[in-house]
């Protein structure tokens, strides 16, 4: 059997705030179930995005949340450069902080 990515999981500080951000990004994502710090969104590609406040610490008691820097990073395909710019401007206009440079191309990235 060929290995397939099934799920990406983000351990977040606030599930509701994360849901609001991902909705602003364009995902049609459900509200978290009452009393449960988790929400799962299955994308048309078949990959699920899981947002939760408690996962790593349940399975790794020695885990601690990093205090600075990126904890995880995902990349979503939204189309051409104009669509990326429109999404960036919409998110930053909604108050989400922008990091990096708008208009970066693959050749601008390290590595």
């Amino acid at each position: 059997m060929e290995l397939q990515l099934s799920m990406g999981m983000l351990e977040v500080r606030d599930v509701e705030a994360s849901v609001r951000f991902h909705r602003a990004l364009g995902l049609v994502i459900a509200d978290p179930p009452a009393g449960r710090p988790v929400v799962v969104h299955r994308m048309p590609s078949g990959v699920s995005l899981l947002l939760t406040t408690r996962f790593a610490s349940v399975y790794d008691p020695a885990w601690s949340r990093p205090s600075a820097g990126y904890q995880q990073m995902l990349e979503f395909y939204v189309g051409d450069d104009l669509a990326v710019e429109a999404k960036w401007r919409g998110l930053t206009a909604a108050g989400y902080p922008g990091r990096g440079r708008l208009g970066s191309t693959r050749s601008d990235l390290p590595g």
Side-chain angles (χ1 to χ4, degrees):
M1 179 178 164
E2 183 180 340
L3 185 65
Q4 297 289 319
L5 179 63
S6 173
M7 182 183 310
M9 183 179 325
L10 297 179
E11 180 124 358
V12 300
R13 294 182 194 281
D14 182 329
V15 171
E16 289 81 10
S18 188
V19 166
R20 284 191 302 274
F21 170 77
H22 286 88
R23 285 177 178 161
L25 185 62
L27 296 180
V28 178
I29 192 165
D31 289 329
R36 297 199 57 218
V38 63
V39 69
V40 179
H41 173 71
R42 189 159 183 88
M43 294 182 224
S45 66
V47 175
S48 293
L49 174 63
L50 186 138
L51 307 170
T52 185
T53 59
R54 294 192 309 245
F55 184 84
S57 62
V58 170
Y59 293 95
D60 180 0
W63 181 83
S64 63
R65 183 181 302 280
S67 61
Y70 289 102
Q71 296 174 41
Q72 306 107 0
M73 185 178 288
L74 296 176
E75 180 176 324
F76 291 92
Y77 179 78
V78 296
D80 60 20
D81 289 344
L82 291 175
V84 171
E85 182 174 329
K87 186 61 68 178
W88 173 279
R89 291 194 190 288
L91 289 169
T92 55
Y96 294 102
R99 296 183 184 147
R101 295 183 317 271
L102 180 61
S104 295
T105 64
R106 181 150 300 285
S107 62
D108 294 333
L109 300 176

